Amino acid sequence: EDKVVQSPLSLVVHEGDTVTLNCSYEVTNFRSLLWYKQEKKAPTFLFMLTSSGIEKKSGRLSSILDKKELSSILNITATQTGDSAIYLCAVETLNNDMRFGAGTRLTVKP
Amino acid sequence: DVKVTQSSRYLVKRTGEKVFLECVQDMDHENMFWYRQDPGLGLRLIYFSYDVKMKEKGDIPEGYSVSREKKERFSLILESASTNQTSMYLCASSLWGEPAGEQYFGPGTRLTVT
């Protein structure tokens, strides 16, 4: 059965710290991996990754996919309290299925 | 384990048909959500409901309506399906008082309107 596993489930850091969130997957017919930030009603789209080894960056956030290891990481540098949220990883397959991980709850303390 | 189920995984409908997408959750969650997911656009919120018979519009409610007659069930209705509503539809639920809290997602319904 397809599955997406995120780790850690929760994380507490202080402002200025750098964090790395992990997502591993076991799916058939992988198409893409997506990262979302969930803090209000709807998750906010962060990145879509389809190719291995190519880093995507947006400000202090970056992400990379490793298709050999079936995993992805999301890095946040110089964290701020506004980064506190649940970060969701989802994998889309060529069969047009989507599987979400349980999320990582990040808390950034002042 | 929280379970959110959606009535269909794949659906093909014709333009102008009325379409019902059903979502059921078994964890007594107050909040339920309907999203659509399109390539490159991420998740977009269509409607959400925080209680039976209560509903609020999300970011893209046009062309959709919803129904929440029972706490565990949230239906998305396309009154007259159009080709631009071809998409992946995801339902989610969460506990009341935690709009920023964990949302549990269903497996999705891939709708194709021809």
Side-chain angles (χ1 to χ4, degrees), chain A residues 24-43:
Chain A
S24 63
Y25 59 91
E26 288 179 29
V27 300
T28 51
N29 299 315
F30 173 90
R31 170 185 276 166
S32 63
L33 185 145
L34 304 98
W35 283 98
Y36 293 89
K37 178 182 182 183
Q38 184 178 329
E39 54 184 338
K40 294 195 174 111
K41 293 193 291 285

Side-chain angles (χ1 to χ4, degrees), chain B residues 36-76:
Chain B
R36 62 179 283 177
Q37 157 89 29
D38 298 288
L41 295 176
L43 281 175
R44 293 182 291 166
L45 181 66
I46 304 171
Y47 268 96
F48 72 101
S49 167
Y50 50 88
D51 201 353
V52 175
K53 296 194 187 293
M54 307 298 282
K55 61 185 179 187
E56 281 199 26
K57 292 180 180 179
D59 300 319
I60 50 162
E62 297 78 20
Y64 303 94
S65 62
V66 290
S67 170
R68 185 123 182 246
E69 296 297 318
K70 292 186 177 182
K71 192 175 185 181
E72 67 271 18
R73 191 180 295 269
F74 192 34
S75 303
L76 180 71

Side-chain angles (χ1 to χ4, degrees), chain A residues 51-98:
Chain A
S51 301
S52 206
I54 299 173
E55 186 183 51
K56 292 213 172 177
K57 288 196 77 163
S58 177
R60 295 176 294 103
L61 276 65
S62 64
S63 184
I64 195 161
L65 176 67
D66 186 338
K67 284 187 177 178
K68 192 176 172 187
E69 296 295 325
L70 305 183
S71 66
S72 173
I73 58 170
L74 175 69
N75 279 323
I76 309 175
T77 58
T79 52
Q80 302 169 358
T81 54
D83 294 327
S84 294
I86 293 174
Y87 290 83
L88 288 170
C89 171
V91 173
E92 192 173 23
T93 72
L94 292 172
N95 300 330
N96 298 323
D97 286 335
M98 281 197 78

Side-chain angles (χ1 to χ4, degrees), chain B:
Chain B
D1 264 1
V2 177
K3 211 156 184 194
V4 180
T5 56
Q6 294 183 226
S7 51
S8 305
R9 298 298 300 277
Y10 304 96
L11 215 47
V12 180
K13 295 290 181 182
R14 293 186 185 276
T15 301
E17 277 193 83
K18 190 168 186 175
V19 182
F20 292 87
L21 303 183
E22 296 259 290
C23 175
V24 177
Q25 49 93 5
D26 65 0
M27 278 301 289
D28 206 34
H29 283 172
E30 291 84 5
N31 299 334
M32 294 189 76
F33 308 80
W34 272 108
Y35 299 92
R36 62 179 283 177
Q37 157 89 29
D38 298 288
L41 295 176
L43 281 175
R44 293 182 291 166
L45 181 66
I46 304 171
Y47 268 96
F48 72 101
S49 167
Y50 50 88
D51 201 353
V52 175
K53 296 194 187 293
M54 307 298 282
K55 61 185 179 187
E56 281 199 26
K57 292 180 180 179
D59 300 319
I60 50 162
E62 297 78 20
Y64 303 94
S65 62
V66 290
S67 170
R68 185 123 182 246
E69 296 297 318
K70 292 186 177 182
K71 192 175 185 181
E72 67 271 18
R73 191 180 295 269
F74 192 34
S75 303
L76 180 71
I77 302 150
L78 288 66
E79 294 289 340
S80 178
S82 62
T83 53
N84 64 11
Q85 292 178 309
T86 292
S87 185
M88 168 73 89
Y89 289 88
L90 289 151
C91 172
S93 72
S94 70
L95 284 168
W96 171 250
E98 286 200 53
E102 289 183 10
Q103 290 188 14
Y104 295 85
F105 285 86
T109 296
R110 173 69 61 174
L111 172 68
T112 302
V113 183
T114 59

